[in-house]
Amino acid sequence: MAAYLRSHERPLLMTHIRPDADGLGAQLALHDALVQLGKQPRVAIASKLPPRYDFLDPGRKLIEDFRHATIPNFADCDCVVVLDTGTWNQLGEFGDWLKSHPIPRIVVDHHRTQDDLGGERYVYITSESCGRLSHEIIRALGVTPSHAAANYLFMAMATDTGWFRHPNATPATFALAAELVSLGANPTELYEKLYEAAPLARLKLTGVAIERLQLRANGKIAFTEILMFDYGTTGAVPGDTEDLINLPRSVEGVEVALVFIEQPGNGTKVSFRSKSLDVSLIAERFGGGGHKLASGARVEKPLPLAREEVLIAVEKALEPG
């Protein structure tokens, strides 16, 4: 991977649509390191940047919107690094562009579900975050993460472990966290910006999700849903749904948590969380995928139909044997 990046001057660093802190952190940290090496990397996303991450690039001078690309339309890039996903359906419009451009590419990811994107893959599903893989690449390049990069990497790792609460947080996770803090990462400031600066609209949307919480399978399944009109009534935006999955997951006795989010065009986004069941296998049946205990899918059906089909699939998966 280090040799690959050394042999290219203008890498395009891309992550999945609806970017999260792990994908963005991995992108931005690697960008910082490549700039230190005299490269000319570019960072892009193929969907709107969620407002909660505006603090990462206040003037939007660094994170480009691929959908609004103008001439030369990224034609000057000599390779692509896709971070935190390895599936076409997570790349949006960029996926179509990548399919039609024979540009060298490599995938850096930690999810089990993978498509063949046509390039080399640096995929480790045992890694708690893509941020860790970005850190390993940076070190392999002979670069010490800067203060800013350390902050990006800490954010990536901390958020993908539920701020070190989930089972994917290992001794190695805490060791890397200590290293990043020693390099200048500020956990307190990051936590405040990510979790303690919510606009009122996001809190109102959370209230809607709580009111709609329901149980199935004798309390083993908890789920809620967000409809398109909820954004108008609360003033929230789709990016404000990112943490809602923690609500059904926190209900006592629940084994599998689900959030159903209505999408434009009658589609439904589904988020899966589990305490032991491999929900990635269920998500893959609906065109998605991810980790064993945390996955997602987009079902091209109206929410009521998608909800019932997914709930039945989860109920069957929970049956003994």
Side-chain angles (χ1 to χ4, degrees), residues 7-315:
S7 66
H8 294 87
E9 296 300 317
R10 298 178 303 280
L12 172 58
L13 310 180
M14 175 64 69
T15 190
H16 49 81
I17 55 175
R18 297 180 295 276
D20 59 13
D22 188 25
L24 291 167
Q27 276 183 298
L28 293 169
L30 186 55
H31 175 276
D32 186 274
L34 291 171
V35 169
Q36 288 191 54
L37 291 176
K39 306 291 185 180
Q40 301 174 54
R42 296 171 70 179
V43 172
I45 55 176
S47 61
K48 185 178 180 181
L49 180 70
R52 71 183 308 175
Y53 301 124
D54 283 342
F55 74 93
L56 296 173
D57 186 19
R60 289 304 297 270
K61 298 178 180 178
L62 180 57
I63 303 173
E64 302 181 60
D65 191 329
F66 184 86
R67 301 170 304 164
H68 303 152
T70 56
I71 298 175
N73 196 27
F74 297 97
D76 63 326
C77 296
D78 57 6
C79 74
V80 170
V81 181
V82 178
L83 297 120
D84 203 35
T85 186
T87 61
W88 290 113
N89 64 1
Q90 284 289 306
L91 293 178
E93 295 178 23
F94 178 72
D96 297 330
W97 182 88
L98 193 60
K99 289 177 181 178
S100 62
H101 286 73
I103 185 172
R105 76 283 305 264
I106 194 166
V107 172
V108 178
D109 192 20
H110 66 131
H111 295 93
R112 189 182 71 81
T113 307
Q114 297 289 317
D115 293 332
D116 183 0
L117 302 191
E120 297 295 328
R121 289 189 287 184
Y122 180 54
V123 178
Y124 286 87
I125 63 173
T126 55
S127 175
E128 82 285 289
S129 64
C130 190
R132 170 177 292 281
L133 303 182
S134 183
H135 173 265
E136 292 179 355
I137 294 167
I138 291 169
R139 286 299 193 181
L141 287 167
V143 177
T144 298
S146 67
H147 175 103
N151 230 25
Y152 297 143
L153 294 172
F154 190 98
M155 175 187 72
M157 183 176 59
T159 55
D160 249 34
T161 59
W163 219 262
F164 310 103
R165 294 178 296 112
H166 298 332
N168 60 341
T170 67
T173 305
F174 289 96
L176 180 53
E179 176 188 334
L180 295 173
V181 171
S182 72
L183 291 171
N186 189 329
T188 302
E189 182 179 354
L190 281 170
Y191 191 90
E192 289 175 351
K193 289 181 176 178
L194 289 169
Y195 300 109
E196 296 180 341
L200 181 59
R202 189 191 305 168
L203 297 178
K204 288 183 177 180
L205 189 70
T206 301
V208 171
I210 292 174
E211 287 182 358
R212 293 184 183 149
L213 271 173
Q214 297 185 57
L215 298 176
R216 287 269 287 252
N218 295 318
K220 292 182 180 179
I221 301 173
F223 66 96
T224 189
E225 61 190 38
I226 294 296
L227 307 177
M228 289 295 297
F229 74 78
D230 292 329
Y231 301 122
T233 57
T234 63
V237 296
D240 290 327
T241 63
E242 184 176 335
D243 293 328
L244 295 183
I245 190 63
N246 294 324
L247 300 174
R249 188 181 184 277
S250 65
V251 177
E252 182 181 10
V254 165
E255 174 60 31
V256 178
L258 299 159
V259 173
F260 299 92
I261 304 173
E262 189 175 36
Q263 303 292 297
N266 279 330
T268 305
K269 178 185 174 186
V270 188
S271 293
F272 301 77
R273 293 294 185 275
S274 171
K275 294 180 180 177
S276 62
L277 183 71
D278 188 347
V279 289
S280 70
L281 300 177
I282 303 173
E284 287 176 359
R285 290 171 51 186
F286 291 94
H291 300 295
K292 177 181 178 180
L293 303 182
S295 292
R298 177 178 171 126
V299 184
E300 297 303 331
K301 293 183 179 180
L303 192 149
L305 293 177
R307 178 185 61 216
E308 195 58 26
E309 289 186 13
V310 171
L311 286 170
I312 289 174
V314 175
E315 286 176 328

